[in-house]
Amino acid sequence: MTQAKSSLPPLLQRAIAPSLSTRFMWAGIVITTFFVVIALLAPWFQDWGLLQDPFKVPLENPIHSPPSADHWFGTDRKGYDVFSRTLFGTRAALHVVLLATTLSLLVGVPLGMVSGYLGGRVDRVMLFFMDTLYTLPGLLLSVTLAFMVGRGVLNAAIALSIAYVPQYYRVVRNHTVSVKTELFIEAAQAMGASTWTVLSRYLALNVIQSVPVLFTLNAADAVLVLGGLGFLGLGLPEQTPEWGQDLRQALDALPTGIWWTAMFPGLAMTSLVVGLSLVGEGLNDWINPLVRRER
């Protein structure tokens, strides 16, 4: 058994090692996968009659009904089924967050590579601009952008992504600056390789090691920021199932003892953030040799 395990690649050995960080990472993967499955199956559940329409209120639905066999998570002040809106809120959150983090990755990584590789005035100008964006709080920047672009899935994703572009830029740019002085880069340049060839073939795989970690941690943060935008009324369109909006509508009912309208969306948001954070921290310990520790 020991000999078979030693023949595995080092990354795979660390992935199955019974360390605390590995257990946390797999716990985060299970939690995140659970929410992904819910997001994918929610429309099918509605077609099968297992969920009520989260956009419409059936006439027979009571308002502020506590959890019961008919409404597992109860109903809110308008009669919406909280269970249905919580599940479809998962779909909305993952849709916006995945789009936002992907956009920021596609913009920040190439800019960081070009800036770090070219250096000079290009690097100084881009670094100044990105550092300026980086100093602004993510939620404040997203709120300002949401005011400018308005509501909607794409608009919310754009507002979130701009706040994360500087993070990808800084990480990739710093790695590029350190890697571009290696001998294999100088050898490629001496052989007449173009800038595009050096960036895509020799630099890319050596500077994006931290991108998966940053992607998951930014996704966790984006869930909270999207919830904040929804709570302020700046996220998705009105009546769209979204955790932040549901928490905003539930705020007035909390002093009267109506806890279920806020508890279940808040618990779903917290669980998804914890799952994504555990995946990110586990990947960091798994990939990065500088922070990896012996059991």
Side-chain angles (χ1 to χ4, degrees), residues 9-275:
L11 283 178
L12 185 56
Q13 292 183 30
R14 292 196 292 271
I16 62 176
S19 63
L20 185 61
S21 62
T22 302
R23 292 191 182 101
F24 281 154
M25 183 182 70
W26 284 109
I29 291 175
V30 170
I31 295 172
T32 305
T33 303
F34 172 75
F35 280 98
V36 171
V37 171
I38 287 178
L40 293 175
L41 297 182
W44 290 7
F45 289 157
Q46 182 183 350
D47 294 339
W48 297 338
L50 301 177
L51 291 177
Q52 293 189 1
D53 189 341
F55 296 93
K56 298 180 181 179
V57 181
L59 296 178
E60 66 274 10
N61 272 16
I63 63 173
H64 281 162
S65 174
S68 63
D70 296 329
H71 305 282
W72 291 356
F73 290 178
T75 60
D76 62 11
R77 65 177 184 176
K78 295 183 179 180
Y80 286 110
D81 184 70
V82 178
F83 179 69
S84 178
R85 288 186 65 84
T86 300
L87 264 61
F88 272 85
T90 303
R91 186 178 182 85
L94 289 178
H95 188 186
V96 175
V97 167
L98 180 61
L99 184 58
T101 49
T102 302
L103 286 175
S104 57
L105 183 152
L106 293 177
V107 174
V109 171
L111 288 180
M113 291 178 59
V114 171
S115 177
Y117 181 73
L118 296 181
R121 181 177 297 178
V122 173
D123 183 48
R124 290 194 298 271
V125 172
M126 294 181 65
L127 187 61
F128 174 79
F129 179 71
M130 290 296 175
D131 283 347
T132 302
L133 285 179
Y134 188 73
T135 58
L136 299 175
L139 179 58
L140 179 60
L141 181 59
S142 299
V143 167
T144 304
L145 294 171
F147 267 119
M148 298 172 59
V149 300
R151 292 184 172 186
V153 172
L154 181 59
N155 292 342
I158 292 174
L160 290 173
S161 64
I162 294 178
Y164 299 122
V165 167
Q167 298 184 30
Y168 289 99
Y169 168 84
R170 287 164 60 93
V171 170
V172 173
R173 183 255 178 197
N174 292 339
H175 284 183
T176 302
V177 169
S178 62
V179 172
K180 74 176 184 179
T181 58
E182 298 290 338
L183 292 178
F184 67 94
I185 299 294
E186 296 180 355
Q189 293 170 340
M191 294 176 62
S194 64
T195 300
W196 168 253
T197 301
V198 174
L199 290 175
S200 61
R201 182 173 298 180
Y202 299 104
L203 269 175
L205 294 179
N206 290 280
V207 301
I208 62 174
Q209 296 180 2
S210 299
V211 169
V213 178
L214 192 58
F215 185 89
T216 53
L217 294 179
N218 280 345
D221 185 71
V223 173
L224 293 176
V225 175
L226 177 63
L229 291 179
F231 190 83
L232 296 173
L234 300 172
L236 302 185
E238 193 73 25
Q239 305 306 329
T240 301
E242 196 272 315
W243 295 330
Q245 289 191 32
D246 291 344
L247 288 174
R248 180 190 181 190
Q249 296 179 4
L251 185 62
D252 295 335
L254 281 176
T256 62
I258 301 174
W259 51 267
W260 55 88
T261 56
M263 174 181 174
F264 294 109
L267 185 61
M269 183 188 301
T270 304
S271 300
L272 180 56
V273 170
V274 170

